[in-house]
Amino acid sequence: GESVGLHLPTLSVQEGDNSIINCAYSNSASDYFIWYKQESGKGPQFIIDIRSNMDKRQGQRVTVLLNKTVKHLSLQIAATQPGDSAVYFCAENMPRGDQGGKLIFGQGTELSVKP
Amino acid sequence: DAGVIQSPRHEVTEMGQEVTLRCKPISGHDYLFWYRQTMMRGLELLIYFNNNVPIDDSGMPEDRFSAKMPNASFSTLKIQPSEPRDSAVYFCASSLAGAYGYTFGSGTRLTVV
């Protein structure tokens, strides 16, 4: 029979409120982190990134915070809009010497924005 | 820029048949990645190429899966023979310089019945 899928963590917010999506990463040697947004039926789309030598980076309506001590990443979305409804993934880059790195994705969080 | 182009968008096949998924990366990108997405396992990296050479195929589930990149503008992921548990969405992504500036295609939804 068909396996039961995992239920993604879900965050439900009111339109206009701020959203905070959290992510724990696994490898203390990871040197680069990215947040992706995935809408239904589409591929993941780049939102914002941060290198490990930074604690905070701001974009348009989005801010990423990095806490290397506890290996935690967060994405803050200001004034959340219905169009922000999607699944959000964090990804960490695990360096591989001179062979570039490979991105390892987290489980994902589903953001639902209520009008 | 047309982005990363994958074909087909949807594929339904019978168990035991060969399936070939195709990807055209962004022109000028030197890294190409194949990912599989399922509800159970999330986004899994299967294999990636740098300058058309496979660098890491440790994520390829078994010998039934193979990937090639004959030139800088084309890659294939082949499953032979296909099984129902291969049903998933397969994404191709390309980048310039490793993990930086990853761009994903729209994916191929594979259903094996």
Side-chain angles (χ1 to χ4, degrees):
Chain A
E2 195 171 283
S3 300
V4 175
L6 292 172
H7 289 285
L8 291 177
T10 300
L11 175 66
S12 184
V13 301
Q14 203 70 38
E15 181 179 359
D17 287 351
N18 296 334
S19 303
I20 299 176
I21 301 171
N22 296 303
C23 175
Y25 64 92
S26 59
N27 193 330
S28 56
S30 294
D31 60 357
Y32 176 64
F33 305 87
I34 309 176
W35 280 99
Y36 282 89
K37 172 186 181 183
Q38 187 176 23
E39 296 173 283
S40 181
K42 297 184 179 179
Q45 180 183 11
F46 173 93
I47 303 174
I48 191 168
D49 59 359
I50 187 168
R51 295 179 188 266
S52 59
N53 61 353
M54 302 171 67
D55 298 322
K56 178 180 180 179
R57 188 154 190 239
Q58 287 185 286
Q60 187 177 14
R61 281 203 308 121
V62 294
T63 301
V64 55
L65 298 177
L66 175 63
N67 185 332
K68 294 181 288 294
T69 303
V70 294
K71 292 191 286 187
H72 183 267
L73 201 62
S74 69
L75 176 70
Q76 300 176 1
I77 304 174
T80 314
Q81 302 168 0
D84 295 327
S85 294
V87 177
Y88 289 81
F89 294 94
C90 66
E92 59 182 303
N93 179 57
M94 300 177 71
R96 290 172 51 89
D98 61 353
Q99 295 292 351
K102 60 182 184 181
L103 282 182
I104 305 299
F105 283 78
Q107 178 186 16
T109 296
E110 183 171 6
L111 175 65
S112 176
V113 182
K114 296 176 288 187
Chain B
D1 187 352
V4 176
I5 300 173
Q6 291 187 246
S7 64
R9 285 300 310 274
H10 303 274
E11 177 79 37
V12 180
T13 191
E14 291 186 345
M15 181 174 63
Q17 296 297 307
E18 177 180 296
V19 175
T20 300
L21 311 181
R22 297 173 175 79
C23 175
K24 176 177 166 48
I26 290 174
S27 177
H29 281 190
D30 57 352
Y31 282 81
L32 184 138
F33 306 82
W34 282 102
Y35 280 84
R36 177 172 69 176
Q37 187 174 39
T38 60
M39 280 301 296
M40 280 296 293
R41 303 170 77 95
L43 267 166
E44 300 174 276
L45 177 64
L46 301 178
I47 185 171
Y48 77 95
F49 297 83
N50 178 216
N51 291 321
N52 313 338
V53 175
I55 301 300
D56 184 345
D57 65 355
S58 60
M60 295 286 263
E62 44 197 280
D63 292 346
R64 297 185 296 107
F65 285 69
S66 62
K68 294 182 179 179
M69 192 165 186
N71 58 62
S73 59
F74 184 65
S75 176
T76 59
L77 178 68
K78 186 175 293 187
I79 308 172
Q80 165 64 16
S82 58
E83 296 182 3
R85 61 193 168 117
D86 302 331
S87 297
V89 181
Y90 290 81
F91 287 103
C92 175
S94 71
S95 75
L96 193 60
Y100 307 101
Y102 248 64
T103 301
F104 281 82
S106 297
T108 294
R109 180 175 293 278
L110 173 65
T111 304
V112 183
V113 298

